[in-house]
Amino acid sequence: MLSTHMRVLQRYGNRSLGMINTSAFSTDAKQFPAKKQRFIPMTGTYPQGFFAGGAHCGVKKNGKPDLAVLLSDRPTVASAVFTTNQFCAAPVLFDRSVLNSARERDCQTVRAVVVNSGCANAVTGKQGLLDAETMAAAGSQLVKTFDAISTNSLSEDGGVATGDTLVMSTGVIGQSLPVDKIAKGVRDIELDIAHESWMRAAIAHMTTDTFPKLLSRTVELTANGGKTIRMAGITKGAGMIHPNMATLLGTICTDAAITQSMLDKALTYAVARSFNAISIDGDMSTNDTIAVVANGAAADGWVIDSELSHEYVTFRDELTRFMAELASLVVRDGEGATKFITIEVAGAKSFSDAKQVASTIATSSLVKTAFYGQDANWGRILCAVGYAGIPLDTGAVDLTIHPGDGSAPLVLVRAGEPLLPIDESRASEILAQEDVLVRVELSLGKESARMYTCDLSHDYVSINADYRS
């Protein structure tokens, strides 16, 4: 089926609609910073029934890729989590409406996700909503064209369905969307199942990102085999990253068969431990959206429909790990960041308590600047623990820093007391590394949580001082 679909899309791209020349921009990892290239996949294993593509349609004046499309050959179960910023962007309002309508009608409608970068379509009033609708209509027309020329399409309606397209926008806030350029770009875009097409889509998501963020994975839902699914995810973000939500944009596609209620539960669980567990600068975007779309293409008569089932627990946990890995790429690309810092808080009475303490540490500018300066300032960390807002036994708190290379950690505080004199030489060795784990033991219970953050450097100020220019 997939090879036939690929031929269909090649024919559609080259002849039917006079495609944008997407080969005009390179997907070679060497074009991105050398230190980031190890995070860029050279190959991938992608979910059945999904197609991807990226292009330049004219939103960005510099000619860089600015349009991405993901399309399923059949309706999907879709779920999403959005920014809680009250000035949420038009695409957020539109997508909420689409998903709420699908739930009310108890039907699967979403077929495509259309993403533009370079303009956020945020704080744009009524016109912004109209532009989001126009953008979605272009996606719906693309779905209709796909179904018309593909003999293997599994859509039952065979045409444009109300609410079959989600839209996402990222970029400068307060500017009108050049929606005519986007609509033409969607109409002309070339889609494919190949890794290179997924990479083009990932590159087209980028704004201040320094590398594209794409992951794919194969998951076995049962111990004895027979229920193999695939996941693929694209995210973008480098600044304005802080819960809740904290991704800027992200879409995860899977060929698992799962009910709406189970997908909603799995996403809620996973996002609390991934995209809502990262912070770069403490600013919450107007556009933050993370969506999961599941088309069921891998299923042979089975569906995940009970949270008590082994398949659900495995799916939920694998989705969580997958999303945490995606989210960590956002932190690794934090604007001006030189370090990837994991804050782990253990021994809490509840997950929410552990996460609250971890978040307080992760968002402390004093802690983040200390890491940039490679200063083992344990006082700043304990200060953040102390004002996190949960009851503590300060005489039971331990603090340890762990280097990313797996060598011996350094205990800074035990039972609330600093281990003086601090081995400053070892501390400097650990903090000179790119990856550092800070572990705080509260000794109050058995729950734990992690937050992922980065340091705060001079470059962060420079990047954001010049953003609109």
Side-chain angles (χ1 to χ4, degrees):
M1 178 181 70
L2 290 178
S3 60
T4 302
H5 263 160
M6 185 160 56
R7 290 195 297 271
V8 168
L9 267 290
Q10 287 172 341
R11 181 172 71 249
Y12 142 54
N14 284 298
R15 298 177 187 174
S16 300
L17 297 177
M19 70 176 188
I20 288 176
N21 182 15
T22 53
S23 61
F25 76 87
S26 172
T27 59
D28 189 347
K30 293 180 180 178
Q31 67 185 293
F32 303 107
K35 289 185 177 180
K36 306 296 186 181
Q37 289 174 16
R38 71 184 189 277
F39 304 121
I40 303 173
M42 298 295 105
T43 61
T45 303
Y46 297 99
Q48 299 177 55
F50 282 100
F51 298 81
H56 170 71
C57 70
V59 179
K60 293 178 181 175
K61 297 178 182 179
N62 59 12
K64 291 184 177 180
D66 52 20
L67 177 67
V69 174
L70 302 174
L71 184 147
S72 172
D73 65 1
R74 67 200 75 191
T76 70
V77 176
S79 185
V81 180
F82 301 100
T83 182
T84 57
N85 191 312
Q86 294 184 66
F87 271 107
C88 56
V92 170
L93 295 173
F94 179 85
D95 290 349
R96 278 179 179 158
S97 176
V98 168
L99 296 178
N100 287 339
S101 177
R103 287 187 179 90
E104 289 171 1
R105 292 181 289 149
D106 192 26
C107 63
Q108 299 174 214
T109 60
V110 175
R111 294 283 304 280
V113 180
V114 177
V115 183
N116 80 271
S117 59
C119 178
N121 192 15
V123 197
T124 47
K126 294 180 180 178
Q127 186 59 48
L129 283 171
L130 292 173
D131 290 344
E133 291 172 1
T134 300
M135 193 169 163
S140 295
Q141 187 59 49
L142 179 67
V143 170
K144 182 178 180 180
T145 301
F146 176 89
D147 290 345
I149 64 175
S150 173
T151 58
N152 292 321
S153 173
L154 297 181
S155 173
E156 295 180 358
D157 55 50
V160 177
T162 301
D164 67 357
T165 300
L166 299 178
V167 296
M168 302 182 190
S169 299
T170 180
V172 178
I173 295 171
Q175 295 186 356
S176 296
L177 199 65
V179 72
D180 291 342
K181 293 180 179 179
I182 293 173
K184 183 180 185 303
V186 172
R187 184 170 67 248
D188 292 346
I189 199 166
E190 178 187 17
L191 304 176
D192 207 318
I193 63 172
H195 169 74
E196 188 175 46
S197 293
W198 283 87
M199 183 57 68
R200 284 182 177 135
I203 293 172
H205 279 67
M206 295 169 61
T207 53
T208 58
D209 307 66
T210 65
F211 69 94
K213 300 164 184 69
L214 169 67
L215 288 178
S216 63
R217 183 161 300 161
T218 299
V219 174
E220 181 55 61
L221 295 179
T222 57
N224 58 355
K227 293 183 180 178
T228 302
I229 66 166
R230 295 174 178 179
M231 297 178 182
I234 294 173
T235 190
K236 66 84 52 195
M240 292 187 79
I241 305 295
H242 184 66
N244 293 303
M245 271 286 298
T247 171
L248 292 192
L249 301 181
T251 303
I252 296 162
C253 302
T254 178
D255 50 17
I258 186 169
T259 63
Q260 184 71 62
S261 62
M262 291 302 98
L263 184 60
D264 290 344
K265 285 180 179 291
L267 178 58
T268 299
Y269 181 93
V271 81
R273 293 157 176 80
S274 58
F275 286 97
N276 273 352
I278 63 175
S279 182
I280 289 175
D281 50 17
D283 277 324
M284 184 195 304
S285 169
T286 53
N287 293 57
D288 297 340
T289 302
I290 184 75
V292 179
V293 290
N295 69 4
D300 183 17
W302 56 265
V303 62
I304 300 171
D305 59 3
S306 170
E307 63 181 315
L308 300 179
S309 68
H310 174 80
E311 289 83 356
Y312 169 76
V313 174
T314 301
F315 176 83
R316 181 199 67 187
D317 291 349
E318 290 295 335
L319 179 66
T320 300
R321 278 188 280 271
F322 186 77
M323 288 173 57
E325 200 171 323
L326 265 179
S328 71
L329 294 178
V330 175
V331 178
R332 289 187 181 280
D333 201 19
E335 291 169 346
T338 67
K339 299 190 184 305
F340 178 79
I341 305 163
T342 301
I343 309 294
E344 180 179 270
V345 175
K349 290 183 178 179
S350 67
F351 170 75
S352 61
D353 280 357
K355 188 174 179 183
Q356 186 169 331
V357 175
S359 178
T360 304
I361 299 169
T363 55
S364 166
S365 295
L366 289 177
V367 171
K368 291 159 71 72
T369 51
F371 275 102
Y372 176 64
Q374 299 180 16
D375 176 13
N377 195 325
W378 52 267
R380 292 184 179 182
I381 298 173
L382 289 189
C383 178
V385 174
Y387 66 72
I390 71 163
L392 296 172
D393 178 356
T394 57
V397 175
D398 298 338
L399 172 61
T400 309
I401 54 174
H402 299 250
D405 63 5
S407 59
L410 177 63
V411 179
L412 299 175
V413 176
R414 179 172 292 147
E417 298 285 342
L419 296 188
L420 300 175
I422 297 294
D423 187 344
E424 296 289 353
S425 175
R426 178 56 180 157
S428 296
E429 291 175 354
I430 293 174
L431 296 180
Q433 298 189 25
E434 181 179 347
D435 287 23
V436 178
L437 166 67
V438 176
R439 190 176 192 278
V440 177
E441 171 62 51
L442 300 180
S443 303
L444 297 173
K446 297 182 179 180
E447 295 297 321
S448 63
R450 283 188 168 192
M451 284 285 295
Y452 306 95
T453 189
C454 59
D455 55 348
L456 192 59
S457 70
H458 302 291
D459 286 346
Y460 176 83
V461 177
S462 299
I463 291 168
N464 284 281
D466 297 333
Y467 184 65
R468 287 209 306 164
S469 59

